[in-house]
Amino acid sequence: MSETKMMDGKVAVVTGAGRGIGREIAILMARHGARVVVNDLGASVSGEGEDAGPAEEVRDIIRGFGGEAVIDGHSVAEPQGGEAIVKTALDAFGQLDAVVNNAGILRDRIFHRMSVLDWEQVVGVHLMGSFYVSKAAALHYRDRGAGTFVHFTSTTGLIGNVGQANYGAAKLGIVGLSKAIALDMQRFGVRSNCISPFAWSRMIGSIPTDTPDQKARVEKLQRMTPDKIAPMAVYLSSDAAADVNGQIFGVRNNEIFLFSQPRPVRSVHRGEGWTPETIAEHGMPALKGSFVPLQVSADVFSWDPV
Ligand SMILES: NC(=O)c1ccc[n+]([C@@H]2O[C@H](COP(=O)([O-])OP(=O)(O)OC[C@H]3O[C@@H](n4cnc5c(N)ncnc54)[C@H](O)[C@@H]3O)[C@@H](O)[C@H]2O)c1
């Protein structure tokens, strides 16, 4: 059991809490005294089907150590779903203090083969879902003059990865959403931050293990267990993080990162203005030295998880 209960008296909604990272967040929230809404549709990795089993299991684990939890099976990807999830918290516990937008699916496809459906469904669960749940909580937060959001982004959006245009766009969209909420709602004492996690879950569990090299790589990845992400989500939802707003953190096994956010890195100026020719001759050569290389996440996180 935790020594200090950082979420005592608080109510938390954790979406996608039946499995993976969400499950560990829900459990740690409850260990820290939060009453928890365990939301999960029980979908497959690609978002198909429904199964209440995983959420029920998490609820039972929490109740097993004397915590309080209820399950909610609504999809975050519908406006009514977001409202219903918040209503579940208010009906069961009379208040809401913390939202963790964690639910997610993947439909990886190289861009020229990505269907409209692949795009819509991934954006629907991640970006639209984070909006629907946040929007439903926002009026309640305003009236109470308090509340927190933790949203899940990814280095696929922050840095890049191949075959994930839908996911990367949604995950970078979530960063914009989080920033906008932080700016709009700080006047009501509401905070909004992002976590970019690295964790072994079924979402990345499809990596092949045919060769000894691949096997060794996967064994290292398996050390990054989802429970390592949960402390940051609990901390950011607690009063201890009262002065942390609009930030993006990375968590990978025992490492914690603070991510940069875009700012101008260099400027060029011509008193008479620019033509396409002068941009080619003068402007771009001057900026080129500061270009961001076209990299994928693994190029930047090039060392093994510590
Ligand atoms: N695992 C990683 O390394 C990693 C890396 C970057 C970002 N993330 C992000 O972290 C979050 C958690 O990922 P995970 O690895 O634990 O995945 P996971 O597949 O283990 O868990 C996701 C959960 O979300 C649920 N879900 C899916 N669609 C839903 C919907 N419409 N409504 C409610 N619940 C729904 C699923 O049923 C599942 O239980 C996701 O947002 C993911 O994009 C994970």
Side-chain angles (χ1 to χ4, degrees):
M1 276 303 268
S2 311
E3 287 174 14
T4 54
K5 294 203 166 197
M6 293 180 67
M7 294 295 290
D8 233 1
K10 294 194 189 287
V11 174
V13 161
V14 184
T15 70
R19 294 191 184 85
I21 296 167
R23 168 193 161 107
E24 301 302 328
I25 294 171
I27 291 170
L28 195 65
M29 284 280 189
R31 285 207 180 275
H32 274 272
R35 289 164 285 163
V36 183
V37 175
V38 179
N39 160 264
D40 206 295
L41 188 62
S44 69
V45 183
S46 58
E48 275 120 14
E50 291 183 23
D51 174 13
E56 285 170 357
E57 199 186 305
V58 175
R59 175 198 60 196
D60 294 346
I61 290 170
I62 291 172
R63 289 186 177 167
F65 58 73
E68 285 185 62
V70 294
I71 61 167
D72 177 285
H74 292 97
S75 171
V76 299
E78 308 284 340
Q80 312 86 298
E83 279 165 25
I85 293 164
V86 169
K87 187 169 181 301
T88 298
L90 299 179
D91 287 351
F93 304 124
Q95 68 189 64
L96 177 60
D97 305 276
V99 167
V100 179
N101 281 316
N102 163 84
I105 62 168
L106 279 183
R107 290 201 172 200
D108 293 1
R109 206 86 65 199
I110 200 83
F111 184 64
H112 59 279
R113 293 196 197 285
M114 185 166 286
S115 70
V116 171
L117 194 65
D118 294 333
W119 173 268
E120 285 179 348
Q121 298 215 323
V122 168
V123 171
V125 174
H126 290 277
L127 182 56
M128 305 296 276
S130 297
F131 168 74
Y132 294 140
V133 180
S134 301
K135 179 68 217 323
L139 287 177
H140 177 71
Y141 279 4
R142 183 205 57 190
D143 292 345
R144 293 191 76 207
T148 64
F149 294 102
V150 173
H151 313 274
F152 273 77
T153 184
S154 168
T155 56
T156 293
L158 298 169
I159 298 170
N161 269 323
V162 172
Q164 295 194 310
N166 47 3
Y167 184 67
K171 286 309 207 185
L172 204 49
I174 286 172
V175 171
L177 172 69
S178 177
K179 175 57 71 72
I181 294 172
L183 286 167
D184 283 1
M185 297 200 74
Q186 64 178 339
R187 72 196 71 178
F188 307 119
V190 174
R191 297 182 295 104
S192 178
N193 292 286
C194 288
I195 297 176
S196 179
F198 298 77
W200 181 260
S201 73
R202 65 174 190 168
M203 230 185 226
I204 56 169
S206 52
I207 298 172
T209 53
D210 303 331
T211 68
D213 273 3
Q214 285 174 339
K215 221 175 183 167
R217 177 162 171 249
V218 163
E219 274 164 19
K220 273 179 203 151
L221 292 175
Q222 281 171 338
R223 277 189 236 137
M224 309 185 295
T225 49
D227 60 295
K228 298 282 189 173
I229 313 299
M232 181 60 91
V234 172
Y235 162 77
L236 289 173
S237 304
S238 78
D239 293 340
D243 57 354
V244 184
N245 200 9
Q247 304 303 311
I248 309 165
F249 300 96
V251 183
R252 188 176 78 145
N253 209 31
N254 296 322
E255 296 164 292
I256 289 176
F257 309 93
L258 174 66
F259 275 98
S260 60
Q261 300 186 41
R263 294 288 183 274
V265 290
R266 196 156 187 170
S267 74
V268 284
H269 170 258
R270 264 177 102 100
E272 74 276 25
W274 295 92
T275 64
E277 290 84 356
T278 57
I279 291 175
E281 286 155 16
H282 167 199
M284 207 48 64
L287 295 175
K288 223 167 217 165
S290 301
F291 274 12
V292 175
L294 189 59
Q295 292 175 316
V296 297
S297 176
D299 296 326
V300 175
F301 288 90
S302 53
W303 67 100
D304 286 339
V306 180

